[in-house]
Amino acid sequence: MIPDNVNRDLIPNELLQTWAQAVRTRITTVLQAPRSTLGHLEAALAEEAPNLLRPILETAAQRLVDQQPFHCAICHAPLRAEARHRRRTLHAVFGELPLQRDYGWCPTCDAYGHPADAALGLHAAAAASPRVQEIAALVSLRSPYAQAAQDARRLCGQSLNRASLQREAWRQGQRAIHCRQADLALARTPAGVAALSARSGTAALAPFTLIIEIDAWNIRERDDWGRTAARRRQGQEPERWHWVFTGTLFRLDQRGQTAGGRRVITQRGYVATRQSLDDFKEQLYAEALLRGLLNAEEVLIIADGAIWIWKLAEDRFKDARQRVDLFHVKEHLHELARTVFGPGTPEAQQWLQPLLRFLEQRTDGALEVLRELEALAPRLNNLAEPQQAALHREIGYFTTHHQRMDYKQAKAKGEPVGSGAVESTARQYQTRFKCTGQFWSLAGDEALLALATLYRNERWSRLFPHSDAATAKQWMAALMNETN
Ligand SMILES: [Zn+2]
């Protein structure tokens, strides 16, 4: 129990009275001004609040610092003090906080440090308090840095400029990559696999199907910053498109429908990386474990026809069923009909329509389509070479994929026939990563992709423990019990 006089020091009466007087004056001014609105009142109070809250936060934060054990972060042995009361000014939500903390040395580990920094959220190179770090990270996920800096200024009164915001987002992205690496390391050992699987919370569920949808899109990157003109003179293009591999994972029972008939997925996992296909494969596997891979009765992989996806599936998800996106398959047939019979001709439609029906309505519909394609070949002998080539390409496509076209069965089981979920996932990423005139540096895009993915996967509290509402509630309840 904290003594009353100590609590009074936290919020001195003098501070309260001075502040109350300032607020009264301020409100009176707003009320007397012509054309004042509620917005003016809100803005005035939002501006006044830090004058009260910043000194309170400063005192409380110094208490937090002072109550931290002066222990080595590695071996937890008491540190030898190297310097007392070292000052550091921290950018926090209500303004600058000057704080003092001790600096020590561990003879065993030969390590130096400020042990209180962990409680202040001051990981390597952090310039701001945890809440400001979180605001910087959140606004950076929504819009380009210059815009995000303006939003942070307008909404939270944070004086973050474009460069500091970008630096902070990159730093948080590195922390997100670090979290991801921890999960990937677990996925490499049997004990770790069991731990990831336990985190999925799916052990006691009724038999379920885990659906994994995979796709790729690309972002524009530029390296050699500042050397664009020089490289162009050498005949080299300084920018290029680079793949971002993307996956989304959910259980079939997490897929529902709104009253309006729109498909919704209540909860799902995300993977997105501009690293190699092997990296993506590892990340997808770890995420699948976290979404219940080991407890799933069935695993279903849905994607467009790209061969790398099926290779990945065979490599990592051997027993999974595979389905190629229905829309892509239909597009193949539409394209072929245009090529062979001419765009918009009645013959094209006449040939196409039954085939589209076979696909969705018959058990072996894709095989029937394949037979129709093969039957078409002799009729095309007198046709030009490009048309014959197109037909043979599609015969190859249906020969390779017909077993992945079980649309009638899919509909009967209430499973998705297409990879729309991952396509909408990709579009969501693209609203941030494919803005007009935007280029990414190699390191910058992976960091922000990792940060965005951690956020989507609802693991934000691994970077910002204060953001976890459930934990905060428990913590408050414990505190109330203690003080009552
Ligand atoms: Zn130590």
Side-chain angles (χ1 to χ4, degrees), residues 252 255-258 260-265 268 411 414-416:
L252 185 57
R255 182 171 175 267
Q257 212 162 13
T258 62
R262 197 168 57 86
R263 283 285 177 198
V264 284
I265 297 164
R268 57 165 124 171
K411 285 186 173 173
E415 293 173 354

Side-chain angles (χ1 to χ4, degrees), residues 233-253:
R233 276 198 299 277
Q234 293 160 13
Q236 292 170 322
E237 200 43 47
E239 13 176 295
R240 68 193 125 66
W241 292 97
H242 189 94
W243 288 113
V244 176
F245 300 114
T246 308
T248 192
L249 311 88
F250 53 93
R251 299 196 311 263
L252 185 57
D253 59 280

